[in-house]
């Protein structure tokens, strides 16, 4: 199992719309075998951290590719919210020992 952590900044003026988008994102994640989704705002003003689990490294790489896709109807919405666009999103994977 892989814990996937995603970090990015959200434009102050779009925080309300971002919260709607993150709800749609969290609703969609189970379709990709992701579970235990959570997100939080860091101490730094508009930095957000998402965390969830995927079953394999292949799932991690596929999800990362999807999350960076501007053309994806749900994940691509973050393009407008993140200063500098999707390429400014940071990804990290933590492999869980069984």
């Amino acid at each position: 199992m892989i814990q996937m952590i995603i970090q990015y900044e959200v434009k102050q003026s779009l925080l309300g719309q971002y919260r709607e988008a993150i709800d749609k994102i969290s609703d969609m994640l189970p379709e990709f075998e992701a579970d235990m989704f959570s997100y939080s705002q860091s101490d730094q003003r508009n930095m957000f951290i998402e965390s969830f689990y995927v079953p394999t490294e292949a799932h991690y790489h596929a999800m990362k590719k999807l999350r960076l896709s501007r053309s994806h109807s749900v994940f691509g919405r973050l393009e407008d919210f993140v200063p500098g666009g999707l390429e400014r999103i940071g990804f990290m994977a933590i492999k869980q020992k069984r």
Side-chain angles (χ1 to χ4, degrees), residues 45-77:
R45 228 177 57 178
N46 296 325
M47 292 298 294
F48 286 85
I49 300 166
E50 295 179 39
S51 172
F52 52 91
Y53 292 84
V54 292
T56 66
E57 287 183 46
H59 283 80
Y60 167 81
H61 292 294
M63 177 59 68
K64 182 176 177 181
K65 186 174 181 179
L66 277 174
R67 293 299 300 263
L68 291 171
S69 171
R70 287 180 182 81
S71 61
H72 193 279
S73 63
V74 175
F75 300 138
R77 292 182 64 197

Side-chain angles (χ1 to χ4, degrees), residues 41-47:
Q41 194 168 359
S42 75
D43 292 339
Q44 290 181 324
R45 228 177 57 178
N46 296 325
M47 292 298 294

Side-chain angles (χ1 to χ4, degrees), residues 2-3 9 16 19 21-23 42 52 54 62 64 70 85 93-94:
I2 308 288
Q3 181 183 13
E9 182 181 354
R19 293 188 199 287
I22 198 69
D23 287 343
S42 75
F52 52 91
V54 292
K64 182 176 177 181
R70 287 180 182 81
I94 301 173

Side-chain angles (χ1 to χ4, degrees), residues 6-49:
I6 305 174
Q7 181 177 346
Y8 46 85
E9 182 181 354
V10 174
K11 295 174 185 172
Q12 176 71 35
S13 61
L14 297 175
L15 285 175
Q17 291 167 277
Y18 164 75
R19 293 188 199 287
E20 291 175 24
I22 198 69
D23 287 343
K24 287 188 172 81
I25 287 170
S26 69
D27 290 345
M28 177 170 263
L29 287 174
E31 294 176 27
F32 301 97
E33 297 182 66
D35 66 355
M36 295 179 12
F37 175 82
S38 67
Y39 83 102
S40 59
Q41 194 168 359
S42 75
D43 292 339
Q44 290 181 324
R45 228 177 57 178
N46 296 325
M47 292 298 294
F48 286 85
I49 300 166

